[in-house]
Amino acid sequence: MTVSPPPGYLGGDARIRSGPAPELVSAGYALETADAPLLHRGLGLADLAQIVELVRVEVVPAGVVAPLVATLLGWLDVPAAAFPYDPLLGDAYNSRERELERLHGPTAGWLHTGRTRREAGRIAFRLVLRERLLVLHAAVARLAAALADQADTHAGTVWADTTYLQPAQPSTFGHYLGALAEEATRSVERVERAHTWADRSPAGSGGVGGTRVPLDRERLARLLGFATVGTNTRDTMWATDGLADAVLAGTQAATTADRLAEDLEIFASPAFGYVTLDTSLCRASVLLPQKRNPYALAVIRSGAGTLVGRATGLLVTQRTPSARTDNWLHAYGEVATSLELAERVVHLASAVVETLQVHTDVLAAGAAAHFTGATDLAEELVLRAGLDYRSAYRVVGRAVADAIEDGRPAITAADVSRSAGLVLGPECVIAISSAQVAAAQDPEQVLRTRTAIGGSSPERVRQHAADVRERLAVATGWRAERERHTATAEAALIAAAHSLA
């Protein structure tokens, strides 16, 4: 059954003679009205910009709408929870329209001139989206800075870097952390690109292709603090790729945090003992008195997984035909809550990094174990003995196998000579000294050779950390400028509205 339309029901088509079915209210309208707290202030600013521009182009006399403007200004200070949003009326815009009509009668009708309710909603959401992206931007920058700082601190901390969790080559723990700092910095850039999309104004779009009402879209954009105007009104009103980009930017940042958390959960285990998490980020076992669980890492990992699911959902909903509600109905809430979740996950990861205790002695003890200098020794044979790398690889591989079988922890020059005779033939003579063989297996001396750009030598790690900090300083300046710009525009809009009221 359907319900009777509420008093003042704002149905458009005269053929719709009743209120919405309760099932439609429950499954659809209630979902849209649930976005009211998110859109509340943005809808107010969109309405004020519309009225200010209509008066400027002399479509409506200022005196006619003065009481209406006064009401809209007052609503900016009314919490969304205190406003009479009603799911029976559809989305938040309809509830606002009904209340304006109740208070001001036909004067409220001026607000619709040249504008759809969807346009007001799109404006309001973009205002929210660009704000949430700036908040996320600050969180991701914090993570990148924390990683860069710790990379600088541990630029000289020797450890055995791993692939597949198997000892690979001597490196520095700072180089490992610097890689994650670089990854986080790319997420800062992703958030900025997503903000660029959100910072394009839909105001003045009309139904789809514009309106005959002489609204100045560039002036409307300035009133609302947008950086620019959407260059195609249909695209600006209905495209959803920017929503997916925003959530993907948050998801990528959280995934960097997740990759770190996956590693640290292993590194913090007693079997490795590389690091210890701050006690404020751990949780005690209820049953096992000796156990300290790295709970923050589980929170990071679960948050990242949830964000991957939400991003996937947004990508799927883009596959509907264009200019439909399908790909927007869930979008406002999903995008906003996803960005909030990403922010929380990334801030938690920053706290983990900032307070991380690194056990440098444990890392150093394992740096030369398990023949991590084998690759350097093979390269030394290429450089000193003139072997091709594949032959050198086989010679060193045989020497490693023999040493493991004999229970010896390192390779000697005699081992290399014997292995060369077995692998390449008795006529092969390797001219390499014991000192050269030892140097190739000494982590400290290995690191002195890692001086290429991006390498793991302490000097290169410190240079990279400084470079990350410089890029983050630029990003921080960009964020501060966008915050100032939008705050100034909002203050000017409200002042212009006050002059009408």
Side-chain angles (χ1 to χ4, degrees):
M1 64 174 290
T2 58
V3 298
S4 299
Y9 176 67
L10 302 171
D13 194 323
R15 292 169 295 179
I16 299 178
R17 301 179 184 277
S18 69
E23 294 85 356
L24 179 59
V25 173
S26 176
Y29 289 177
L31 188 64
E32 291 189 280
T33 306
D35 292 328
L38 187 69
L39 305 177
H40 181 69
R41 184 172 181 82
L43 287 171
L45 296 172
D47 288 347
L48 289 173
Q50 177 78 354
I51 289 292
V52 167
E53 179 63 7
L54 287 171
V55 170
R56 190 190 70 84
V57 298
E58 300 180 346
V59 170
V60 54
V64 172
V65 296
L68 181 65
V69 174
T71 297
L72 291 172
L73 284 168
W75 284 359
L76 290 179
D77 298 322
V78 174
F83 192 87
Y85 287 112
D86 185 351
L88 285 178
L89 296 174
D91 61 15
Y93 182 91
N94 281 355
S95 290
R96 293 171 64 88
E97 183 182 7
R98 175 188 173 184
E99 189 65 7
L100 285 174
E101 188 179 51
R102 184 184 70 80
L103 294 171
H104 299 285
T107 302
W110 286 107
L111 197 54
H112 306 300
T113 309
R115 187 186 74 170
T116 67
R117 69 180 176 206
R118 293 294 177 199
E119 181 184 308
R122 298 292 190 265
I123 292 169
F125 185 67
R126 283 184 184 245
L127 296 180
V128 170
L129 180 57
R130 69 188 188 185
E131 179 184 352
R132 296 288 173 90
L133 284 168
L134 290 179
V135 172
L136 176 62
H137 186 271
V140 182
R142 176 191 173 191
L143 176 59
L147 287 163
D149 288 346
Q150 284 281 35
D152 198 351
T153 299
H154 293 286
T157 299
V158 182
W159 82 315
D161 205 342
T162 62
T163 59
Y164 299 92
L165 276 182
Q166 302 300 308
Q169 286 185 289
S171 184
T172 56
F173 201 63
H175 190 254
Y176 161 77
L177 294 168
L180 292 162
E182 184 69 23
E183 191 173 310
T185 305
R186 287 196 295 273
S187 284
V188 170
E189 296 166 357
R190 291 186 188 99
V191 175
E192 291 175 7
R193 288 194 295 271
H195 186 276
T196 299
W197 182 91
D199 213 12
R200 294 176 184 148
S201 173
S205 293
V208 173
T211 173
R212 68 185 301 149
V213 179
L215 301 173
D216 185 332
R217 294 196 65 216
E218 291 184 336
R219 177 175 167 79
L220 281 167
R222 289 194 297 273
L223 286 171
L224 292 161
F226 285 107
T228 187
V229 173
T231 55
N232 181 290
T233 54
R234 195 177 195 277
D235 170 76
T236 311
M237 281 291 293
W238 290 101
T240 57
D241 57 317
L243 304 182
D245 287 343
V247 174
L248 284 168
T251 303
Q252 288 279 42
T255 300
T256 297
D258 170 80
R259 280 155 43 77
L260 173 67
E262 300 273 358
D263 286 348
L264 292 184
E265 188 164 295
I266 295 167
F267 294 168
S269 67
F272 279 73
Y274 289 174
V275 300
T276 298
L277 264 65
D278 190 81
T279 55
S280 66
L281 299 166
C282 298
R283 190 160 75 174
S285 168
V286 172
L287 177 66
L288 309 171
Q290 86 289 358
K291 198 161 176 282
R292 185 171 76 168
N293 297 321
Y295 187 64
L297 305 181
V299 174
I300 292 168
R301 292 168 59 192
S302 66
T306 298
L307 283 165
V308 169
R310 290 184 178 177
T312 303
L314 278 169
L315 291 171
V316 170
T317 57
Q318 283 190 78
R319 296 183 61 250
T320 63
S322 64
R324 306 290 180 95
T325 301
D326 310 30
N327 47 15
W328 283 94
L329 190 59
H330 293 263
Y332 291 164
E334 284 292 306
V335 171
T337 56
S338 294
L339 294 180
E340 288 177 349
L341 176 57
E343 178 208 347
R344 292 195 300 271
V345 166
V346 171
H347 271 310
L348 179 57
S350 299
V352 169
V353 174
E354 290 163 355
T355 60
L356 189 67
Q357 302 171 48
V358 179
H359 302 305
T360 57
D361 54 339
V362 177
L363 293 176
H370 307 291
F371 302 94
T372 58
T375 301
D376 278 80
L377 181 54
E379 291 176 348
E380 187 74 1
L381 294 179
V382 172
L383 297 174
R384 301 286 183 181
L387 289 182
D388 67 276
Y389 185 76
R390 188 52 60 204
S391 295
Y393 173 97
R394 288 171 178 148
V395 168
V396 173
R398 177 60 186 264
V400 168
D402 290 345
I404 291 173
E405 186 174 337
D406 295 342
R408 292 181 284 109
I411 299 170
T412 65
D415 293 330
V416 173
S417 296
R418 183 172 58 255
S419 177
L422 293 172
V423 173
L424 303 178
E427 69 281 0
C428 180
V429 177
I430 299 294
I432 190 168
S433 69
S434 296
Q436 290 166 341
V437 171
Q441 298 176 88
D442 181 348
E444 296 284 353
Q445 295 195 54
V446 166
L447 289 176
R448 294 193 190 112
T449 69
R450 302 301 199 258
T451 57
I453 294 173
S456 59
S457 70
E459 295 78 12
R460 283 299 190 185
V461 172
R462 292 188 184 101
Q463 287 173 7
H464 178 253
D467 175 65
V468 169
R469 291 193 196 97
E470 288 178 8
R471 282 180 278 159
L472 291 176
V474 173
T476 299
W478 170 86
R479 183 175 68 249
E481 188 278 329
R482 295 317 303 160
E483 290 170 342
R484 283 193 301 269
H485 178 82
T486 54
T488 301
E490 182 175 316
L493 171 59
I494 291 173
H498 273 294
S499 70
L500 295 180

